[in-house]
Amino acid sequence: MSKSNYEASSHRLAQPLHGDPLPAYTVRISDRAKYVRLSLSMESGLEVVIPPHYDHRKIPELIQQKQNWIARNQNRLNEREAFLQSQSPHLLPHSLNLRAINQTWQIQYIGTSYQGIRLQESQGRETQRILSVTGNIEDINICKFFLKKWLTKTAEHYLKPWLQSVSDRTKLPYGNITIRSQKTLWGSCSNKCNISLNYKLLFLDPPSVEYVLLHELCHTVHMNHSPKFWHLVQHFEPNYKIIDKSLNQAWKIVPAWLDS
């Protein structure tokens, strides 16, 4: 679900083993890693995280042994990409269902001679929320750009104090917080305890968001997914396995146009 960042050097390799071609991969050396770890994402591809002084000659054999795992997770990424493409990602949205904060916004597009885009929030009947997109609405890409900027600003407004609240409750401090738009990561934590959160969390249900925040805060103590890390997570969230598993399919809730 999440990837912890390390200060490291990396390089891309594609080495054969016994004549069999291996997938391209990146090696990342981490001074905090105690064991070798593989990760696969749309952003980074196949990545091998190793401790300092680890024998690089062992990596091809390790990847060969993990071919089934790599294929299984690559199929998941391919499934995700195929699903997104089937959801008409080229079209503009007409509503935003932000489950995390219990808000639904209806979007109306108003074409004018203005070549840029302006966004304005307003209140409709009863509790209806309306987001007006005014200007050059024929330019789909610029409309998406400003809608994403609005989502980022909204995420900053709600997720930052939410993270602080979880931090206060768990007594797990962190450094800085940034809001980003990763394709496959809900959040990440650096070795300086700086946390990055994906604004797409706004589309998930509150328990899932709460779990992601807790997950990243636990990385401020353990920069890996070792048994000690999961024990810490379980201390604060006994049902973490159920929530963690549900996040594997949570990307289906996020609108496809955000990744186009």
Side-chain angles (χ1 to χ4, degrees):
M1 178 203 71
S2 127
K3 180 177 91 175
S4 299
N5 299 322
Y6 305 80
E7 291 184 355
S9 61
S10 63
H11 52 282
R12 184 159 291 280
L13 304 170
Q15 302 176 359
L17 183 66
H18 305 310
D20 296 328
L22 296 180
Y25 59 91
T26 297
V27 177
R28 186 151 54 93
I29 304 172
S30 168
D31 57 2
R32 302 189 65 172
K34 295 182 180 180
Y35 54 88
V36 181
R37 177 173 64 85
L38 299 185
S39 68
L40 187 64
S41 68
M42 294 180 66
E43 295 96 331
S44 303
L46 178 61
E47 186 175 58
V48 184
V49 182
I50 63 173
H53 312 303
Y54 182 83
D55 188 351
H56 285 66
R57 293 174 295 181
K58 296 181 180 179
I59 296 177
E61 182 178 359
L62 173 66
I63 293 179
Q64 186 70 42
Q65 294 172 351
K66 294 291 185 178
Q67 286 283 40
N68 289 338
W69 180 90
I70 294 170
R72 185 168 62 253
N73 283 275
Q74 186 62 58
N75 287 337
R76 289 177 180 173
L77 290 180
N78 294 342
E79 177 192 1
R80 179 181 186 276
E81 186 64 22
F83 177 85
L84 293 177
Q85 292 303 317
S86 71
Q87 301 302 301
S88 302
H90 58 286
L91 300 179
L92 289 172
H94 290 281
S95 65
L96 297 171
N97 185 8
L98 309 183
R99 297 170 180 83
I101 56 177
N102 193 29
Q103 292 183 8
T104 299
W105 290 82
Q106 302 301 319
I107 306 176
Q108 61 179 9
Y109 297 92
I110 305 171
T112 69
S113 59
Y114 177 59
Q115 290 304 301
I117 289 292
R118 296 188 179 95
L119 268 64
Q120 183 178 1
E121 301 175 6
S122 61
Q123 196 80 19
R125 295 180 179 179
E126 298 179 353
T127 59
Q128 186 183 36
R129 294 180 172 89
I130 299 174
L131 185 62
S132 299
V133 181
T134 306
N136 183 17
I137 61 173
E138 298 300 321
D139 191 330
I140 294 179
N141 288 331
I142 194 172
C143 288
K144 288 182 179 180
F145 174 80
F146 280 96
L147 286 171
K148 292 175 183 178
K149 285 189 65 175
W150 181 86
L151 283 168
T152 300
K153 183 179 178 180
T154 301
E156 288 177 347
H157 179 75
Y158 287 98
L159 295 183
K160 285 186 175 183
W162 197 343
L163 179 67
Q164 185 61 56
S165 175
V166 178
S167 173
D168 293 341
R169 173 172 59 84
T170 58
K171 302 297 187 296
L172 296 173
Y174 60 95
N176 297 321
I177 175 176
T178 56
I179 304 298
R180 298 174 58 198
S181 175
Q182 303 99 314
K183 279 194 173 183
T184 56
L185 302 177
W186 297 115
S188 62
C189 178
S190 74
N191 66 320
K192 294 183 179 179
C193 297
N194 295 326
I195 290 179
S196 175
L197 297 175
N198 195 329
Y199 70 69
K200 298 170 188 173
L201 287 169
L202 291 173
F203 293 92
L204 305 189
D205 59 272
S208 295
V209 177
E210 184 94 3
Y211 169 72
V212 171
L213 303 183
L214 171 63
H215 186 109
E216 300 310 329
L217 285 170
C218 287
H219 275 310
T220 63
V221 180
H222 302 289
M223 296 293 299
N224 49 45
H225 290 100
S226 64
K228 289 183 178 180
F229 167 79
W230 292 115
H231 181 75
L232 182 62
V233 173
Q234 186 176 34
H235 173 72
F236 295 110
E237 177 49 75
N239 296 319
Y240 80 92
K241 290 184 179 180
I242 297 175
I243 304 175
D244 193 80
K245 186 177 181 179
S246 70
L247 285 172
N248 290 332
Q249 298 296 319
W251 50 266
K252 291 183 178 180
I253 301 175
V254 179
W257 65 270
L258 289 173
D259 286 329
S260 64

